[in-house]
């Protein structure tokens, strides 16, 4: 009996008291409240996640339905887009190859490119025409110059012959006669002295021709373009078209 009682635990010992649950007044109630709050918070978090997921799903579903159904003319926004040139099936925005205003943009760029090509062609044609006109003018000027020089030589030759027939040994002006084509070595030294007199740099070819033809008409009654020596001044004025080359064209 004593042994069995010794084997029984002593409920008053420190080891027994230390392992016992804390049973202070009001403590179990606080634990229950805390546990209930944790459960409620977890439930609220779960409900919030489910609600957010549901909203996203609803939004996606509405978007899918809207994309599947084309807008009609009754839609004000679609009607406004149509006025701007939009056609059903076209993409919106600048990132695509087509969309609102893309065809108009391509058309405008094509017109600008065409207009630029036209301007370049016009400028090129103008430049070519100007170059051709300048060439014609230079060629005509050269031809006119050569013709004037030819008429002057003819006048000088005729003047020398007619003066010689009248026993005029010295021309009125040095350039009225042709310069000798053949010169000896001794005459070459005198060439530089007489060069100014023959060149008459102060007179142009046209001025020399006008002066010399007037001299031939007044002194010898001769016209180089008619190739005729007239009997008198009346005969010259009656039968010669005029004192210039243009009068004989």
């Amino acid at each position: 009996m004593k042994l069995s009682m010794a084997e029984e635990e002593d409920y008053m010992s420190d080891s027994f008291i230390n392992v016992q649950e804390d049973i202070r007044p009001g403590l179990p109630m606080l634990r229950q409240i805390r546990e209930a709050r944790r459960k409620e918070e977890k439930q609220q978090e779960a409900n919030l996640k489910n609600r957010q997921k549901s909203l996203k799903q609803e939004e996606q579903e509405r978007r899918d339905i809207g994309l599947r159904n084309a807008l009609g003319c009754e839609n004000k926004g679609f009607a406004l887009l149509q006025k701007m040139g939009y056609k059903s099936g076209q993409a919106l925005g600048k990132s695509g190859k087509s969309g609102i205003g893309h065809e108009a943009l391509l058309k405008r760029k094509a017109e600008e490119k065409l207009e630029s090509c036209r301007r370049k062609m016009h400028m090129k044609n103008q430049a070519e025409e100007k170059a051709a006109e300048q060439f014609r003018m230079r060629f005509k000027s050269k031809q006119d110059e050569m013709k004037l020089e030819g008429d002057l030589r003819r006048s000088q030759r005729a003047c020398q012959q007619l003066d010689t027939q009248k026993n005029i040994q010295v021309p009125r002006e040095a350039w009225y006669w042709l310069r000798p084509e053949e010169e000896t070595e001794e005459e070459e030294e005198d060439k530089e002295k007489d060069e100014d007199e023959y060149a008459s740099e102060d007179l142009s070819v046209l001025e020399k021709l006008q002066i010399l033809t007037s001299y031939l008409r007044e002194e010898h009654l001769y016209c180089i373009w008619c190739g005729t020596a007239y009997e008198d001044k009346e005969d010259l004025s009656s039968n010669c078209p005029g004192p210039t080359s243009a009068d004989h064209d």
Side-chain angles (χ1 to χ4, degrees):
M1 184 66 178
K2 292 180 180 180
L3 180 61
S4 61
M5 291 181 64
E7 293 177 354
E8 292 181 0
E9 296 182 357
D10 185 0
Y11 291 100
M12 299 300 291
S13 64
D14 294 335
S15 60
F16 182 84
I17 293 172
N18 291 334
V19 298
Q20 295 301 315
E21 185 177 359
D22 191 356
I23 54 174
R24 286 178 293 179
L27 189 59
M29 182 62 66
L30 291 174
R31 290 178 178 175
Q32 291 178 2
I33 293 172
R34 290 175 182 174
E35 187 67 24
R37 285 181 179 177
R38 282 197 295 271
K39 289 182 180 180
E40 184 178 358
E41 289 176 356
K42 289 182 179 179
Q43 185 65 35
Q44 288 178 355
E45 290 177 0
N47 293 339
L48 181 61
K49 290 181 179 178
N50 293 333
R51 183 181 179 186
Q52 290 177 349
K53 184 176 180 181
S54 177
L55 289 174
K56 290 181 180 179
Q57 290 177 348
E58 290 178 2
E59 184 180 354
Q60 183 64 34
E61 290 175 359
R62 289 196 298 270
R63 186 185 299 110
D64 293 339
I65 294 172
L67 293 174
R68 284 196 297 269
N69 298 329
L71 293 176
C73 297
E74 66 279 359
N75 185 279
K76 294 182 179 180
F78 184 75
L80 182 60
L81 290 176
Q82 284 185 323
K83 290 181 180 180
M84 296 171 62
Y86 175 77
K87 294 181 181 179
S88 180
Q90 288 182 338
L92 295 174
K94 297 182 179 180
S95 60
K97 295 293 183 181
S98 60
I100 293 178
H102 185 70
E103 292 183 359
L105 178 62
L106 292 178
K107 184 178 179 181
R108 186 173 71 254
K109 287 185 176 179
E111 291 176 352
E112 290 176 355
K113 185 176 180 180
L114 180 60
E115 184 64 23
S116 177
C117 291
R118 287 176 178 172
R119 286 197 301 268
K120 290 180 180 178
M121 288 297 297
H122 181 65
M123 292 174 65
K124 182 179 179 182
N125 292 335
Q126 282 186 331
E128 291 178 352
E129 290 177 1
K130 185 177 180 180
E133 181 64 23
Q134 289 177 347
F135 174 77
R136 286 193 295 267
M137 290 177 65
R138 287 196 301 268
F139 184 74
K140 186 177 183 301
S141 177
K142 187 66 176 177
Q143 282 187 322
D144 293 342
E145 184 179 353
M146 292 174 64
K147 185 176 184 301
L148 289 174
E149 291 176 353
D151 290 343
L152 179 60
R153 286 194 297 271
R154 287 167 55 198
S155 300
Q156 289 172 326
R157 188 179 297 109
C159 181
Q160 186 173 1
Q161 291 175 355
L162 294 172
D163 283 349
T164 303
Q165 290 176 4
K166 285 189 173 184
N167 295 322
I168 299 175
Q169 301 299 323
V170 179
R172 180 176 295 183
E173 297 289 341
W175 57 267
Y176 273 29
W177 292 5
L178 286 173
R179 296 178 60 182
E181 296 180 358
E182 297 180 356
E183 296 178 345
T184 62
E185 294 181 357
E186 296 177 355
E187 293 174 341
E188 288 181 0
E189 296 179 357
D190 299 333
K191 178 180 178 181
E192 295 181 359
K193 297 179 181 179
D194 299 337
E195 189 171 359
D196 292 339
E197 296 180 359
Y198 280 99
S200 300
E201 293 180 357
D202 55 333
L203 295 175
S204 65
V205 175
L206 179 59
E207 290 172 337
K208 289 181 180 180
L209 180 62
Q210 291 174 343
I211 293 171
L212 190 52
T213 52
S214 297
Y215 170 78
L216 290 173
R217 293 172 71 89
E218 293 175 1
E219 186 68 24
H220 300 290
L221 302 176
Y222 181 79
C223 175
I224 64 167
W225 294 290
C226 294
T228 304
Y230 293 93
E231 296 180 357
D232 51 35
K233 291 184 178 181
E234 184 179 354
D235 184 21
L236 175 64
S237 61
S238 299
N239 297 300
C240 179
T244 66
S245 174
D247 296 330
H248 294 76
D249 291 339

